[in-house]
Amino acid sequence: MISCTEFIPAYSELFTWLEEKKGREEVDRYWKWLFDPSCDSIPLDGYLEREGLKGCFSYWAVSLNEEACDFTMMLNEKQGWYRDIMHHCPSKGRLLELQKEVPEFVPYHDYCMHCDNYRLSLEKAGLRYIYDFIGIDHAACSELIYDPKIFDGRIIVDENTVIMDRKASDNAYFHPQFHASMSNGIEYLGENYGEDAIREYLTAYMHHVFPRDLEKIQAGGLPEVAAHIERMYAKEHAAELVSCQLSENGKKLTVIVKKDPSVAFLRENGLMVSKWHSMTSSVPYQVLADAADADFRTESYDPETGAAVYTFRKSISGRLSYE
């Protein structure tokens, strides 16, 4: 299970994989597919249909708070404009921080341009926009979205202006909507390039984002595998949904998942669960097993809930341990 808190580097790695394997044009193709207004993973379109320009404020008020952004939003419906000043973007900020922690990690070079594809919904609603990406090197940007039928080119902050100002410390970073983007990304790879592409992408993600965890597993074996899995569920606020049972000799690890929180979120919100969604657990776990020099098996998996049993077994004198 890839926690929604770990989605941003997975997102960046997907862009990198697509460009390296298929070219820069394929990244644009993927973005247009993902941000298509009919796609449930980006619900801005629904907000705009219900509320018009105000839908920008309503949509980003939810997502930016869940992402613990440092931002100022302003809306003036009477003047026909919405402005968002991102003092610090946690998505780009997370990539920059990870690059310091793991020098081998290279963020996708054009990462911030994926936000430009919100224009598909904005243009459908008859709105226009101006993006300012000058500060993206230090995780800052801004945008102006306006209704050309009303906006006269002036931004006047008056009594009709609604303002929301937040510091990153005001919220906890937890945006489960990222599970929808993860599921859609896996679906895109599977439909266009097959299961091997998904496996290759997720394997690269694990090696590029978690090399320090893999080093600990190489040194410490299955207890470190259990520790990694438990950390991911704790980050997802779902520690109670996983049980890691290590045999007395430390040669067998059984991971029991009562339900996958990502599957639960998608099902509860009527969102697509990719037919390949199970691979977001099985492939990362195979990478962990390889680092531990252990055999890995998916003993059972329920696609409706993500409930599963996984086993990791170290060999003893040339044979696998089933203790």
Side-chain angles (χ1 to χ4, degrees):
M1 189 274 300
I2 296 175
S3 171
C4 65
T5 63
E6 305 306 304
F7 170 72
I8 293 304
Y11 210 27
S12 175
E13 283 293 305
L14 179 54
F15 304 159
T16 296
W17 189 93
L18 288 171
E19 180 163 326
E20 288 181 349
K21 302 297 180 179
K22 308 299 176 181
R24 180 63 177 80
E25 297 80 6
E26 180 61 4
V27 179
D28 287 323
R29 178 176 174 236
Y30 170 64
W31 285 344
K32 289 178 181 178
W33 176 86
L34 181 65
F35 281 81
D36 186 300
S38 64
C39 181
D40 290 333
S41 67
I42 310 294
L44 174 61
D45 188 60
Y47 281 85
L48 295 174
E49 287 183 355
R50 292 189 298 271
E51 304 179 45
L53 180 65
K54 183 182 177 182
C56 295
F57 193 96
S58 299
Y59 170 70
W60 275 297
V62 175
S63 63
L64 297 187
N65 276 292
E66 289 185 348
E67 293 182 57
C69 299
D70 189 336
F71 69 93
T72 301
M73 289 197 315
M74 294 180 282
L75 170 70
N76 193 310
E77 290 186 89
K78 187 174 181 178
Q79 296 176 24
W81 58 266
Y82 161 85
R83 193 173 185 208
D84 180 356
I85 304 170
M86 188 76 73
H87 307 297
H88 182 79
C89 169
S91 294
K92 184 59 179 287
R94 169 62 177 142
L95 298 179
L96 296 176
E97 290 169 5
L98 183 59
Q99 194 172 26
K100 292 178 181 177
E101 298 167 6
V102 184
E104 306 96 308
F105 174 74
V106 179
Y108 181 63
H109 67 91
D110 221 3
Y111 178 83
C112 293
M113 282 304 297
H114 77 274
C115 286
D116 177 58
N117 288 271
Y118 280 114
R119 61 186 164 79
L120 299 176
S121 291
L122 298 173
E123 290 173 348
K124 178 183 174 183
L127 302 176
R128 298 292 181 266
Y129 56 92
I130 298 172
Y131 291 153
D132 178 0
F133 285 168
I134 291 177
I136 59 175
D137 288 343
H138 53 274
C141 64
S142 66
E143 64 182 348
L144 172 67
I145 299 172
Y146 60 93
D147 184 341
K149 299 187 298 295
I150 303 174
F151 185 57
D152 67 3
R154 297 178 297 168
I155 299 176
I156 300 174
V157 179
D158 59 18
E159 68 277 4
N160 298 308
T161 306
V162 179
I163 300 174
M164 179 180 289
D165 190 72
R166 293 286 188 274
K167 300 295 183 185
S169 58
D170 293 337
N171 296 294
Y173 179 70
F174 190 70
H175 186 47
Q177 187 66 33
F178 281 152
H179 288 309
S181 295
M182 186 79 239
S183 184
N184 276 276
I186 294 300
E187 185 74 9
Y188 184 89
L189 280 184
E191 287 289 349
N192 288 281
Y193 303 112
E195 193 170 295
D196 286 346
I198 298 173
R199 184 172 293 104
E200 184 178 337
Y201 152 62
L202 290 173
T203 298
Y205 159 71
M206 290 296 293
H207 281 283
H208 294 163
V209 177
F210 298 107
R212 301 297 171 262
D213 282 23
L214 297 180
E215 289 171 1
K216 290 179 181 178
I217 290 169
Q218 288 173 343
L222 295 183
E224 290 294 339
V225 172
H228 174 91
I229 294 172
E230 289 170 345
R231 278 196 298 274
M232 293 303 106
Y233 274 80
K235 288 184 176 183
E236 191 62 26
H237 303 173
E240 75 284 357
L241 296 182
V242 67
S243 172
C244 293
Q245 301 174 359
L246 195 64
S247 65
E248 288 187 10
N249 64 4
K251 298 296 183 180
K252 177 184 175 184
L253 172 65
T254 302
V255 179
I256 301 172
V257 177
K258 296 178 182 177
K259 68 176 180 180
D260 184 319
S262 63
V263 174
F265 174 83
L266 296 171
R267 298 282 187 209
E268 289 166 4
N269 289 277
L271 300 172
M272 183 199 70
V273 180
S274 171
K275 64 181 71 68
W276 293 283
H277 191 83
S278 64
M279 294 182 72
T280 62
S281 290
S282 63
V283 175
Y285 291 175
Q286 181 64 63
V287 174
L288 301 181
D290 291 344
D293 192 25
D295 174 71
F296 168 74
R297 296 180 188 177
T298 300
E299 305 293 349
S300 64
Y301 181 82
D302 179 2
E304 287 301 310
T305 65
V309 177
Y310 305 101
T311 55
F312 300 77
R313 295 182 176 92
K314 292 278 287 184
S315 61
I316 302 176
S317 302
R319 61 186 177 82
L320 292 175
S321 169
Y322 285 81
E323 298 179 19

